[in-house]
Amino acid sequence: MSSTIQTVSLGNCKPGFSGTIEGFTTSTDRETNGRIDQMREMGFAEGLSVEVLHQNPFGKDPIAVRVGVMTIALRRKEATLVQVQAT
């Protein structure tokens, strides 16, 4: 019996979501790849736990997420680059 890993974009998750970072969106765009590199430098890494803590009630940006033991605020546009699996 084979199982497939169901991943979703972190930018589509609502407060209360918790999961594990599985990877990042693949792109040939230099700007997008630069943003992914910045997120890695901030501490986003495969295998870490992630939880959506808060979102702005007006417009939903920014969101606050806990990655490992850090709390980070970011735009949903950047959060959509992170692929997560629900736990």
Side-chain angles (χ1 to χ4, degrees):
M1 177 188 262
S2 68
S3 64
T4 58
I5 296 174
Q6 181 71 25
T7 61
V8 295
S9 167
L10 180 61
N12 293 330
C13 298
K14 304 293 182 208
F17 172 87
S18 62
T20 303
I21 298 174
E22 293 296 321
F24 296 88
T25 301
T26 56
S27 174
T28 57
D29 179 50
R30 293 174 89 186
E31 183 178 343
T32 300
N33 287 333
R35 287 187 180 148
I36 291 170
D37 290 342
Q38 290 174 343
M39 295 182 75
R40 287 182 188 274
E41 290 172 2
M42 284 191 296
F44 286 82
E46 290 88 346
L48 287 179
S49 62
V50 64
E51 179 183 0
V52 180
L53 302 174
H54 304 285
Q55 70 182 16
N56 181 340
F58 306 105
K60 300 184 180 178
D61 260 348
I63 63 172
V65 297
R66 180 173 293 129
V67 179
V69 296
M70 298 178 297
T71 301
I72 301 170
L74 68 156
R75 294 182 185 106
R76 284 200 185 269
K77 182 177 180 178
E78 280 78 30
T80 59
L81 302 173
V82 182
Q83 297 298 307
V84 295
Q85 179 183 11
T87 54

